[in-house]
Amino acid sequence: MTSADGTAIAVHRSGPSAASPGRPVVIVGGAFSTAADASALSDALVAQGFEAVAFDRRARGDSGDTQPYAPEREAEDVAAVVEAVGGSAILLGHSSGAMVALLAASHAANRPEAGTAIVHLFLSEPPMRFGQDEPAADLPERLQALVDEGRGGDAVTTFQLEGVGLPPQMVEGIKASPLFEHLTTLAQSTVYDATVAAATSTPSEALLALPVPTTVLVGVETMPVLERAAPMLVERMPSATLVHVPESKNHAIDPPATAAIIADRCPAVA
């Protein structure tokens, strides 16, 4: 499908047939993820009776990339995906994708004339810092400079170290792994994730006042910043509740457990 600025967005849909439709769950992936990475989660959602909708965020996978970039463009991408699957959906965002999902839900709430409705918002381990230990303000610009110089690998490691906060030894291990070559193909997306994080790490009052039922999910054995962020967000967001997911570990979604939580809070058939 095509987003508002003309960017082609690749969408992967799976689930109930048109004769017996399940409510769509639009999955917004985190850093370095593509729609293919959501396959197990999609399968779990389908098993609960939902239609699973995964997509490649811009500059990833089979999706395009139109300049200039702004976080609002990603909100428009999500809106276009929701419109393509009927105009109403549940949003599930993980990590930086949770930040995009929050922006997208606000975008939909502020444009009722567009006919796009978010039924429920699920935010899985959003990396919000609320002013504590924020990355340097010039990180997006430095990442873009590395990409422009053809140093995609350096952009990936810089983002991992400064944007995510991974330990240097872990970053070196990733750099030495077969996965690293794939990650470098997604180098441009590090600029966008760093930009989205800078815009939402301390959510605005408008985002916090979002009148959409919201569930904030947090697993175990995850990064301290994520353990801290989830309750801080819920304390500030009247529409939000906190749910611990012990099956989700190391900042990775457990598909069956997460799908079950969504099904418990949102019937698969409207």
Side-chain angles (χ1 to χ4, degrees):
M1 41 70 59
T2 303
S3 191
D5 70 347
T7 302
I9 302 295
V11 182
H12 299 240
R13 301 174 67 175
S14 56
S17 67
S20 180
R23 179 175 273 161
V25 179
V26 175
I27 303 165
V28 190
F32 300 114
S33 68
T34 64
D37 296 311
S39 59
L41 179 56
S42 293
D43 290 345
L45 289 166
V46 169
Q48 290 286 352
F50 294 102
E51 177 184 16
V53 184
F55 69 99
D56 290 327
R57 288 171 56 190
R58 58 177 58 209
R60 308 178 190 213
D62 294 322
S63 290
D65 183 24
T66 303
Q67 299 297 322
Y69 175 81
E72 290 74 16
R73 301 292 82 77
E74 294 218 61
E76 291 169 354
D77 297 345
V78 175
V81 173
V82 172
E83 182 180 356
V85 298
S88 177
I90 297 162
L91 282 190
L92 168 60
H94 177 64
S95 195
S96 65
M99 293 171 155
V100 172
L102 180 59
L103 288 173
S106 178
H107 179 86
N110 291 324
R111 297 176 67 250
E113 73 282 358
T116 300
I118 305 305
V119 175
H120 199 113
L121 183 62
F122 289 87
L123 305 178
S124 171
E125 300 199 352
M128 296 170 178
R129 297 175 184 261
F130 295 95
Q132 301 180 33
D133 302 318
E134 297 281 1
D138 68 343
L139 179 59
E141 290 76 16
R142 287 189 287 114
L143 292 171
Q144 187 64 66
L146 291 170
V147 173
D148 292 344
E149 293 167 8
R151 299 167 58 193
D154 290 337
V156 168
T157 56
T158 299
F159 176 74
Q160 290 173 329
L161 289 167
E162 298 186 32
V164 180
L166 296 181
Q169 63 272 24
M170 181 180 292
V171 173
E172 285 301 314
I174 295 171
K175 189 174 181 179
S177 74
L179 174 66
F180 191 69
E181 183 177 356
H182 167 67
L183 296 182
T184 59
T185 68
L186 303 171
Q188 182 64 52
S189 72
T190 67
V191 181
Y192 300 164
D193 275 329
T195 303
V196 167
T200 57
S201 186
T202 299
S204 66
E205 289 300 319
L207 291 177
L208 293 174
L210 186 67
V212 175
T214 301
T215 301
V216 180
L217 306 172
V218 62
V220 298
E221 299 174 21
T222 191
M223 299 171 66
V225 64
L226 303 174
E227 292 178 339
R228 183 177 69 232
M232 289 180 71
L233 177 59
V234 171
E235 287 171 5
R236 292 161 173 77
M237 193 172 184
S239 66
T241 56
L242 180 64
V243 173
H244 292 274
V245 190
E247 297 88 350
S248 294
K249 298 180 180 180
N250 300 314
H251 195 40
I253 283 181
D254 181 87
T258 302
I261 291 168
I262 294 174
D264 183 59
R265 291 173 171 251
C266 302
V269 179

